[in-house]
C-alpha cells in the first residue's frame, strides 16, 4: 500500500516548536534583558535558540526559564505576523522593538540577519503581547519568516533539555553563543513518551552496551571510526552473515571475494574518483608510480568479474554477492559509534539483469529484504521509493528506462503488499532506488539497507550480453544491501533488543553454572553435549571433583549445537547468576548435587526466570523450538 508522508516542515508540530523557541526567547529576554538573541529554529527533535549572554548561564537556570515560559504561555498571547515594506523599515522595527531598551548593540545579531535577506524580499516579524493580572505589559517581537501557531497558550507541553556552545553562524572565528535546546509536543502524552524513550535510549545506547557486553570497542591507537570486534561481536557478525548467505544461496546468488585496495584506474573508469572524492582515504603510490586507493565500494570489482567472460542472455541474471569491507573517510566530527565508521562491511550484491527481468529480480531482492527483517524481529519499517524529479535534468539514461525501473520498484512493493511511499527527487543520478527505514522499539527511524537500479555503470564499463538475436545488449545493474552494513545493523539490533538478543542471535546462548567445584565435571559434560562434543581437555576440572557420568552417550545427532560457556569461577551461585544475567545470556544451566544424582539440569531463562529441573531431552526440545 502506498502511503503519503507529511513533511515535518509543513506540520503543526514544526510550527509549535518554532513558536516554543520564540516563547523561550521571550522568557530569556524578560529574565536577562541584556541577553542578545540570534537565531531560534525548530529542529528534528525540538528547537533551540542561540543567545549571547552577558554572564554564562547554567543548567540550573533552565528551570527558571521554563517557569517564565509557563507564565507567558498562560497569558494567552496571540502570535501575530507583521510584514514591513522594506529592509529600512525592518531596521527601524528591530531597533525600536527588539532591544529591550538596551540600546542598538542588543540588536547586533538581528541586524546581521536582516542584512542577509535579499533586497526586495518581504521582511516579516512575529509579535506576541499581552497584559498580565498586575497590569504589566509583556511584549516580544522577533524578526522571523514563520510560520507559527496562533497563540502562546498552545505551547503547553515543552521541556528545556540542555545547554551547548555554538559559534555565531557556525564559524569558529565568530563569538561562541549559548545554545539552549528544548522540545515541545502537542500533547502531554507525546512529551512524556518522548522523555521516557530518551531515558530508555540512554540505557540502550549501542556504544555503551557494545563495551559492557564485550561486542566491540574503539581504540585511539587504532584510529577513529575503526572498530575492533571482540569475540562476542565477531560471533554476532558471523551469525548474521551466515543467515544471509544461506538465504542468498537459496536465491541463486554466487559469492565472490575481492581485494581491499585497487588501482585508481578502476575508480577512474567507474567515475567514483569524481563523485566520491571527498570520501576517499589518501592515495598510496607504489614503486612503479601506480596509484592505489582503499576500496570505497565493491561495485567496480563485481563489474570486472561480470565482464571477465562472454555472457549470453541465458546466463542472466548474474547475482554476485560479497560481504565486502569498504573504507570511507568520514569527517571525525561525524563519526558516531557504529552508525558512522570509517571501515565497515557491506552485505553487498550486484545483480546483472536483462530489461525483461528487472521487475522479477527487483521483487526477489525486496522479498529477501522482507525475509531478513522478519527474522531479525524488525517489524515496523517503511520503504521510500526515490524517483526522478521531472523538473530536473541531472539524470542520465533514457526516459523509457527510468519509467521501466520506477514502475518495477513500485510494482515490486505493491505485489509484496509492503508499505511504501514515493519521494520524487530522491533518485540517484544514475537510477531510481528503494531505501529501507526501520522504526526501532523506541519509535526512532534508522536509515538502513538500500536497493538501487543503475544504468550508469553498465554504460561506463560497456557491459554486454549476447541476446537471443545474437546481437550485444546492455544489462541493467541492481545494487543491493539489505542490512546496509553489518556495523549499522548490529548497532540497531543492540539498541532494539537492549542487548538481550534472541536465542539464535545471542553470541553466548547458554552458560552452565556449577554450584561448587565438585559439580564442574558434570557441568562440562553438559556443556559439551550442548555445543556438540569437541573432545578438548577441560582445565577447569579439579582432581577431587565428582566424575561426570557419560552424558555424551545420550546425544542425539539431530540436536543442534549451541554456543555454550562454563562459568567455573569460585564465586557464589548468586553472583554467577547476576553476572550472566547482566551479560544477557538467554539460558543458564545450574548444576548441583541433586542434578548429578538424578541426571537432570536446573534451567533458568533470561526472560522467564527459574524453570526448574529438566532432563537434557526436555531442555533440547525447548531450545530447538525457540531457535525456529
Ligand atoms: Zn522564528
Ligand atoms: Zn554497488
Amino acid at each position: 500500500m502506498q502511503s503519503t508522508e507529511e513533511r515535518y516542515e509543513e506540520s503543526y508540530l514544526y510550527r509549535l516548536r518554532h513558536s516554543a523557541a520564540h516563547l523561550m526567547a521571550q522568557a530569556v529576554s524578560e529574565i536577562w534583558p541584556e541577553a542578545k538573541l540570534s537565531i531560534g529554529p525548530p529542529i528534528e527533535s525540538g528547537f533551540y535558540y542561540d543567545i549571547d549572554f552577558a554572564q554564562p548561564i547554567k543548567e540550573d537556570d533552565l528551570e527558571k526559564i521554563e517557569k517564565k515560559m509557563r507564565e507567558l504561555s498562560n497569558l494567552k498571547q496571540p502570535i501575530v505576523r507583521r510584514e514591513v515594506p522594506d529592509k529600512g523599515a525592518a531596521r527601524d522595527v528591530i531597533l525600536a522593538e527588539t532591544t529591550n531598551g538596551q540600546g542598538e548593540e542588543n540588536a547586533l545579531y538581528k541586524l546581521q540577519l536582516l542584512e542577509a535577506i535579499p533586497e526586495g524580499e518581504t521582511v516579516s516579524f512575529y509579535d506576541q503581547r499581552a497584559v498580565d493580572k498586575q497590569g504589566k505589559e509583556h511584549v516580544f517581537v522577533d524578526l522571523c519568516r514563520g510560520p507559527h501557531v496562533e497563540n502562546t497558550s498552545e505551547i503547553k507541553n515543552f521541556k528545556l533539555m540542555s545547554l551547548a556552545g555554538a559559534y555565531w553562524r557556525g564559524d569558529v572565528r565568530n563569538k561562541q553563543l549559548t545554545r539552549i535546546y528544548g522540545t515541545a509536543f502537542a500533547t502531554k502524552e507525546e512529551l512524556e513518551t518522548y522523555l521516557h524513550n530518551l531515558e530508555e535510549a540512554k540505557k540502550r545506547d549501542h556504544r555503551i552496551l557494545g563495551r559492557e557486553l564485550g561486542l566491540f570497542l574503539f581504540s585511539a591507537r587504532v584510529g577513529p571510526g575503526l572498530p575492533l570486534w571482540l569475540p562476542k561481536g565477531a560471533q554476532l557478525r558471523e551469525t548474521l552473515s551466515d543467515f544471509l548467505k544461506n538465504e542468498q544461496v537459496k536465491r541463486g546468488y554466487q559469492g565472490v571475494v575481492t581485494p581491499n585496495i585497487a588501482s585508481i584506474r578502476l575508480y577512474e573508469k567507474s567515475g567514483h574518483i569524481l563523485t566520491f572524492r571527498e570520501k576517499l582515504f589518501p592515495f598510496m603510490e607504489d614503486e612503479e608510480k601506480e596509484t592505489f586507493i582503499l576500496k570505497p565500494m565493491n561495485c567496480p570489482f563485481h563489474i570486472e568479474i561480470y565482464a571477465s567472460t562472454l555472457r549470453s542472455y541465458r546466463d542472466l541474471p548474474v547475482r554476485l554477492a560479497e560481504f565486502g569491507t569498504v573504507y570511507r573517510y568520514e569527517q571525525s566530527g561525524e563519526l558516531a559509534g557504529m552508525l558512522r565508521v570509517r571501515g565497515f562491511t557491506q552485505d553487498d550484491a550486484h545483480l546483472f539483469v536483462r530489461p525483461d527481468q528487472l521487475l522479477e529480480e527487483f521483487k526477489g531482492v525486496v522479498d529477501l529484504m522482507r525475509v531478513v527483517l522478519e527474522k531479525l524481529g524488525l517489524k515496523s519499517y517503511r520503504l521510500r521509493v526515490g524517483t526522478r524529479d521531472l523538473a530536473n535534468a541531472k539524470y542520465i539514461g533514457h526516459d523509457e528506462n527510468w519509467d521501466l525501473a520506477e514502475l518495477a520498484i513500485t510494482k515490486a512493493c505493491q505485489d509484496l503488499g509492503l508499505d511504501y511511499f514515493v519521494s520524487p527527487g530522491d533518485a540517484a543520478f544514475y537510477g531510481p532506488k528503494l531505501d529501507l527505514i526501520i522504526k526501532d522499539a523506541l519509535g526512532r527511524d534508522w536509515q538502513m539497507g538500500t536497493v538501487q537500479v543503475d544504468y550508469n555503470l553498465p554504460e561506463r564499463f560497456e557491459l554486454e550480453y549476447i541476446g537471443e538475436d545474437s546481437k550485444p545488449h546492455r544489462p541493467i545493474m541492481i545494487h543491493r544491501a539489505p542490512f546496509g552494513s553489518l556495523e549499522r545493523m548490529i548497532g540497531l539490533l543492540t539498541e532494539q533488543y537492549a542487548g538481550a538478543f534472541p536465542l539464535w542471535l545471542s553470541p553466548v546462548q547458554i552458560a552452565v553454572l556449577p554450584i561448587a567445584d565438585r559439580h564442574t565435571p558434570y557441568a562440562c559434560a553438559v556443556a559439551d553435549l550442548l555445543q556438540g562434543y569437541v573432545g578438548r581437555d577441560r582445565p577447569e576440572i579439579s582432581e577431587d571433583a565428582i566424575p561426570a557420568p557419560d552424558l555424551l552417550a545420550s546425544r542425539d545427532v539431530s540436536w543442534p549445537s549451541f554456543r555454550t560457556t562454563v562459568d567455573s569461577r569460585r564465586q557464589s551461585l548468586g553472583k554467577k547468576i547476576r553476572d550472566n544475567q547482566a551479560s544477557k545470556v538467554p539460558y543458564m544451566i545450574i548444576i548441583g548435587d541433586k542434578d548429578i544424582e538424578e541426571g537432570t539440569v536446573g534451567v533458568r531463562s533470561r526472560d522467564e526466570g527459574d524453570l526448574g529441573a529438566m532432563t537434557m531431552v526436555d531442555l533440547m526440545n525447548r531450545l530447538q523450538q525457540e531457535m525456529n
Side-chain angles (χ1 to χ4, degrees), residues 299 348 350 479:
C299 342
D348 212 356
H350 295 94
H479 310 247

Side-chain angles (χ1 to χ4, degrees), residues 7-25 38-50 110 126 142-149 155 159-160 179-185 194:
R7 276 167 47 87
Y8 175 48
E9 289 75 14
E10 287 157 12
S11 67
Y12 175 76
L13 186 61
Y14 191 81
R15 277 182 285 139
L16 181 74
R17 287 170 169 178
H18 192 171
S19 303
H22 280 219
L23 188 68
M24 179 171 81
S38 68
I39 54 161
I43 52 173
E44 209 187 320
S45 59
F47 59 89
Y48 68 79
Y49 216 114
D50 285 350
K110 293 294 171 189
Y126 279 81
D142 204 355
L143 170 72
C144 178
R145 195 178 294 147
H148 284 275
V149 297
I155 311 155
K159 178 148 181 61
L160 300 186
R179 175 169 296 180
I180 308 178
Y181 282 106
T183 194
F185 286 88
Y194 174 79

Side-chain angles (χ1 to χ4, degrees), residues 272-373:
H272 287 124
I273 205 73
L274 292 175
T275 54
F276 227 69
R277 183 76 204 216
E278 77 278 18
K279 289 282 169 78
L280 299 176
F281 267 81
F283 301 170
M284 295 166 265
E285 210 172 64
D286 73 0
E287 282 168 4
E288 275 100 55
K289 295 272 178 252
E290 169 103 34
T291 303
F292 289 88
I293 64 174
L294 262 177
K295 166 158 83 173
M297 43 180 62
N298 303 300
C299 342
F301 293 89
H302 295 183
I303 289 174
E304 286 297 302
I305 291 171
Y306 175 90
S308 63
T309 173
L310 187 67
R311 310 278 181 176
S312 120
Y313 69 98
R314 290 169 190 276
D315 301 330
L316 269 51
V318 173
R319 310 178 187 94
L320 303 179
E322 175 179 21
F323 278 81
T325 302
V326 296
Y327 298 89
R328 297 184 186 172
Y329 196 77
E330 303 289 352
Q331 293 302 310
S332 56
E334 283 170 12
L335 299 171
M338 285 294 171
L339 299 188
R340 189 152 296 173
V341 284
R342 285 181 173 168
F344 57 95
T345 303
Q346 295 179 309
D347 53 329
D348 212 356
H350 295 94
L351 288 73
F352 301 85
V353 311
R354 304 192 307 255
D356 63 290
Q357 293 171 324
L358 187 62
L359 173 60
E360 276 310 303
E361 283 306 305
F362 207 91
K363 214 156 110 181
V365 167
V366 179
D367 189 48
L368 173 59
M369 221 171 204
R370 192 183 55 82
V371 168
V372 167
L373 292 170

Side-chain angles (χ1 to χ4, degrees), residues 420-471:
Y420 72 98
F421 63 97
V422 177
S423 182
D426 256 348
F429 73 92
Y430 51 79
K433 62 172 181 166
L434 186 70
D435 291 316
L436 170 64
I437 301 154
I438 296 177
K439 220 176 239 324
D440 74 5
L442 299 183
R444 297 169 299 176
D445 280 340
W446 297 63
Q447 164 101 40
M448 300 302 286
T450 168
V451 191
Q452 304 196 337
V453 179
D454 188 348
Y455 292 104
N456 176 45
L457 287 178
E459 198 75 36
R460 289 187 76 101
F461 282 85
E462 295 149 338
L463 297 184
E464 285 179 349
Y465 63 89
I466 303 303
E468 216 169 347
D469 56 5
S470 306
K471 293 198 180 98

Side-chain angles (χ1 to χ4, degrees), residues 197-270:
N197 284 351
L198 217 57
E199 277 306 303
E200 193 57 29
K202 271 190 211 149
K203 284 186 230 154
R204 290 171 184 243
D205 188 325
H206 71 274
R207 289 165 297 188
I208 295 166
L209 281 176
R211 203 170 42 235
E212 284 176 2
L213 299 176
L215 303 179
F216 49 78
L217 54 85
F218 291 90
S219 150
R221 257 197 291 276
V222 173
L226 299 167
L228 295 173
W229 290 88
L230 304 173
K232 287 181 187 168
Q235 181 58 57
L236 263 179
R237 287 171 66 104
E238 213 49 32
T239 308
L240 281 172
S241 37
D242 284 353
F243 156 64
L244 186 57
K245 278 181 190 163
N246 196 30
E247 290 298 325
Q248 286 176 170
V249 166
K250 289 186 216 166
R251 289 166 172 80
Y253 285 74
Q254 297 167 293
V256 292
V257 178
T258 67
N260 280 353
I261 66 171
S263 163
I264 197 167
R265 285 179 290 136
L266 181 66
Y267 291 99
E268 280 164 359
K269 182 83 177 158
S270 70

